[in-house]
Amino acid sequence: MAGEIIHLNVGGTRFSTSRQTLTWIPDSFFTSMLSGRISSLQDETGAIFIDRDPKIFAVVLNFLRTKEIDLKNVEVSSLRHEAEFYGISPLVRRLVLCEDLDDASCGDVLFHGYLQPPRAVGGNIRANDTSSNRPSHSRNSSVDTRASHSHQGSVDLRSRGSHSDFSRVKGLDCPSTSPGGFVEPLRVTMVRGHHNWICMAYPHFVCCYRMKDSTGWHLIWLSPYMETQIERIAINAKVLNPNQDHSNKMVAASFSNMIRLWNITDDGEYREIGIFNLNVSVDSLFFIGSQLVALSQTGKVGVWHSMTQHWQIQDVVPITSYDTAGSFLLLGCNNGSIYYIDMQKFPLRMKDNDLLVTELYKDPSNDMVTALSVYLTPKTSLSGNWIEIAYGTSSGTVRVIVQHPETVGHGPQLFQTFTVHRSPVTKVMLSEKHLVSVCSEYNHVRTWSVTRFRGMISTQPGSTPLASFKVISLEDQDPQASYSAGNDFGPFGEQDDQQVFVQKVVPETDQLFIRFSSSGQRVCVIKSVDSSTISAFCVHECEGSNRMGSRPRRYLFTGHANGSIQMWDLTTAMDQLNKEQKLTKGGPSPEELVHLLDQCDLSSSRSSTPCISPAPSLIGAPSLSVRPIIP
């Protein structure tokens, strides 16, 4: 009967209303319950028991009575969640609109651009036709959706069987499927930047965008399809080689022990330079000048030199860390030694066709060198008169060594030692003003203030401690490699500027927390404008335009599971924070963390940072050791 009175017990609070009030919306929770389609419980008085929040239910019931909403003392998101549970569709639509007013798809003031993903059309990958997609909202940026001018055409996503274009080259036999199983074909796995170019890796192809002065970002190049899943990428947008056009760029991609290298022009024309075999797994891939360097933890260094067009492999001690400074490549090894290779002298000074690898320093305790950071002072000349190096070890020790002008020829001298970490050091960064170290215990960060005299380190008797905080991430890590998916959390930035960490708390999330490396203080929170999962990111400083007064700006580029690229203006975020001069919290608050953890299955996580249940011993995961080479 329409006028029947219904008694409800919602979470221990009693309500009485009419059947007509509860059932005027068809297909709601109440119509299903009162018609008997879903079962119900009754309390001792015969009232229907509903185990939900009574405070929010009172708001829902008032809407059913009056068709009006009282939003006092209730969160819109919580009310929408309850309205969805009860199936009150008119209320849900109103609340979604309320949320959309604050959460625009055009983003906030920090949102700088949106690049549409490539898409498969008739088996080919090409840039999206923006007329058939949601418009690209961008400040001072645009997308060139014309087809790439590549002599090999569009990227073919169709399976080519065992006779792929890659496996035919030089008779190489490569698997057609990745060992990790199926991966979303348009999920961005890595983002890299160099000057005004960015390079994105998808599971089986690579693409490059170029920033043009007044027309924004343009899709320049799409690589051929690669059967084996791409694990590393590198880009060099400034190739200064007398034998080549200065506009040429180089892009490299590696998978397993193979490296593929291309030369690209500003117009998207390209040629494949070659395919190289390191014979062991490639754990890091990067450029030093015009030379491509590949490193393996097993102790192999591969170098391709653009002037000689020569690929060379050198065996060294197993490598546990590295850093670059100018033309120098420094290697931290498991025997406690730091070695260096001067790429400027390669290949002019070769000994028996070997790279000239020189031992620079030996740790006093012979501890494994697990993190490296080189700082070249303003007084450093090409001959390296004054070099400062900070390094961390497997025992948790952080040391600073310095090479003075008067000690050239005698090697660096030990300057300072810190023993505040009890777990292996995974990161270290020596900058103009700070020394930052990170250990493997929940990504625990220690920061010290460094004093200098005429640009050279002069901290005595010890640096001033500034901060101690954690950059917790529940991101699963590949036990065979470090930070493999393009989600290295930093610190990012030039050594003479303020540096930042990028904290991705859970694997499948649309939020990133940007924090100062010196204090852990929060700079801002980045949230995907289309609510898509952020799958990869990098911080990159783009050059200023040719206009007078233009200066470089720092951006965060985020790659997403739907294939899109989103850009965020960190320079503006840091300027705003400096103007406000107010302290902000660091990582996620307890409330924010609980909300993020709703998206994460803690019980099945294999993450080592932090180590969550079940214990690694129960699931066969290796115990936490050093995270070696950081790409």
Side-chain angles (χ1 to χ4, degrees), residues 301 314-316 331 339-342 354-359:
V301 180
Q314 175 72 40
D315 284 311
V316 294
L331 305 173
Y339 298 88
Y340 75 92
I341 302 171
D342 188 350
D354 286 346
L355 296 175
L356 196 61
V357 181
T358 308
E359 185 178 70

Side-chain angles (χ1 to χ4, degrees), residues 16 49 90 119 182 359 415 417 426 497 513:
S16 295
F49 179 74
R119 66 174 180 176
F182 175 77
E359 185 178 70
F415 184 78
T417 298
T426 57
D497 198 2
F513 294 81

Side-chain angles (χ1 to χ4, degrees), residues 327 373 561:
S327 64
S373 176

Side-chain angles (χ1 to χ4, degrees), residues 355-532:
L355 296 175
L356 196 61
V357 181
T358 308
E359 185 178 70
L360 183 69
Y361 185 78
K362 181 82 169 179
D363 181 72
S365 303
N366 296 323
D367 284 340
M368 183 188 302
V369 178
T370 54
L372 263 179
S373 176
V374 183
Y375 180 77
L376 299 179
T377 72
K379 292 184 176 291
T380 303
S381 67
L382 291 177
S383 59
N385 284 339
W386 188 287
I387 298 177
E388 302 168 3
I389 300 173
Y391 72 90
T393 71
S394 56
S395 66
T397 301
V398 177
R399 301 188 196 272
V400 178
I401 58 176
V402 176
Q403 180 170 289
H404 303 265
E406 61 271 17
T407 62
V408 171
H410 299 285
Q413 304 297 309
L414 181 60
F415 184 78
Q416 206 161 358
T417 298
F418 302 89
T419 55
V420 293
H421 288 295
R422 300 177 57 207
S423 301
V425 177
T426 57
K427 296 288 194 80
V428 67
M429 176 60 68
L430 179 60
S431 65
E432 182 180 10
K433 297 179 179 179
H434 302 111
L435 172 62
V436 180
S437 63
V438 185
C439 78
S440 61
E441 185 193 10
Y442 302 93
N443 291 335
H444 177 234
V445 181
R446 293 294 298 250
T447 304
W448 296 271
S449 174
V450 171
T451 58
R452 294 186 173 276
F453 178 71
R454 294 179 180 175
M456 296 179 289
I457 194 165
S458 61
T459 300
Q460 289 293 343
S463 301
T464 304
L466 285 181
S468 172
F469 57 94
K470 295 173 182 176
V471 187
I472 294 177
S473 171
L474 301 180
E475 190 86 42
D476 280 346
Q477 299 293 346
D478 180 356
Q480 301 302 319
S482 61
Y483 306 104
S484 58
N487 288 337
D488 177 12
F489 59 88
F492 299 102
E494 299 299 322
Q495 289 176 302
D496 58 352
D497 198 2
Q498 176 71 278
Q499 296 178 320
V500 296
F501 284 113
V502 179
Q503 184 174 10
K504 183 182 179 186
V505 181
V506 297
E508 299 296 312
T509 182
D510 61 353
Q511 291 185 53
L512 297 176
F513 294 81
I514 315 301
R515 305 171 63 180
F516 282 129
S517 64
S518 59
S519 63
Q521 179 184 1
R522 180 184 299 186
V523 179
C524 60
V525 178
I526 297 301
K527 187 173 182 180
S528 169
V529 294
D530 56 3
S531 300
S532 59

Side-chain angles (χ1 to χ4, degrees), residues 213-459:
D213 226 14
S214 57
T215 57
W217 290 95
H218 293 254
L219 176 63
I220 298 296
W221 176 72
L222 289 161
S223 78
Y225 180 89
M226 285 164 275
E227 298 283 356
T228 310
Q229 187 174 326
I230 298 167
E231 298 172 349
R232 302 278 186 275
I233 57 169
I235 182 171
N236 178 18
K238 289 280 187 179
V239 180
L240 300 179
N241 187 337
N243 299 329
Q244 298 177 353
D245 189 319
H246 285 196
S247 65
N248 286 0
K249 322 298 174 187
M250 288 196 296
V251 174
S254 70
F255 24 82
S256 185
N257 56 333
M258 307 307 302
I259 302 157
R260 200 166 178 176
L261 180 62
W262 298 275
N263 185 293
I264 305 166
T265 68
D266 286 342
D267 296 324
E269 297 289 341
Y270 76 95
R271 67 180 178 87
E272 187 169 78
I273 295 173
I275 298 176
F276 312 107
N277 191 342
L278 191 62
N279 300 319
V280 291
S281 175
V282 177
D283 295 314
S284 293
L285 190 68
F286 54 94
F287 284 95
I288 296 181
S290 58
Q291 288 135 127
L292 175 67
V293 180
L295 300 181
S296 174
Q297 299 174 20
T298 61
K300 282 190 185 291
V301 180
V303 177
W304 182 84
H305 199 286
S306 61
M307 292 187 67
T308 63
Q309 306 284 300
H310 179 64
W311 171 255
Q312 189 170 345
I313 300 176
Q314 175 72 40
D315 284 311
V316 294
V317 177
I319 301 167
T320 48
S321 57
Y322 81 91
D323 194 20
T324 63
S327 64
F328 288 95
L329 169 62
L330 285 92
L331 305 173
C333 298
N334 70 350
N335 64 352
S337 292
I338 298 174
Y339 298 88
Y340 75 92
I341 302 171
D342 188 350
M343 292 296 173
Q344 212 167 41
K345 297 177 181 178
F346 169 81
L348 303 178
R349 288 182 60 188
M350 289 191 292
K351 187 177 89 175
D352 301 327
N353 201 36
D354 286 346
L355 296 175
L356 196 61
V357 181
T358 308
E359 185 178 70
L360 183 69
Y361 185 78
K362 181 82 169 179
D363 181 72
S365 303
N366 296 323
D367 284 340
M368 183 188 302
V369 178
T370 54
L372 263 179
S373 176
V374 183
Y375 180 77
L376 299 179
T377 72
K379 292 184 176 291
T380 303
S381 67
L382 291 177
S383 59
N385 284 339
W386 188 287
I387 298 177
E388 302 168 3
I389 300 173
Y391 72 90
T393 71
S394 56
S395 66
T397 301
V398 177
R399 301 188 196 272
V400 178
I401 58 176
V402 176
Q403 180 170 289
H404 303 265
E406 61 271 17
T407 62
V408 171
H410 299 285
Q413 304 297 309
L414 181 60
F415 184 78
Q416 206 161 358
T417 298
F418 302 89
T419 55
V420 293
H421 288 295
R422 300 177 57 207
S423 301
V425 177
T426 57
K427 296 288 194 80
V428 67
M429 176 60 68
L430 179 60
S431 65
E432 182 180 10
K433 297 179 179 179
H434 302 111
L435 172 62
V436 180
S437 63
V438 185
C439 78
S440 61
E441 185 193 10
Y442 302 93
N443 291 335
H444 177 234
V445 181
R446 293 294 298 250
T447 304
W448 296 271
S449 174
V450 171
T451 58
R452 294 186 173 276
F453 178 71
R454 294 179 180 175
M456 296 179 289
I457 194 165
S458 61
T459 300

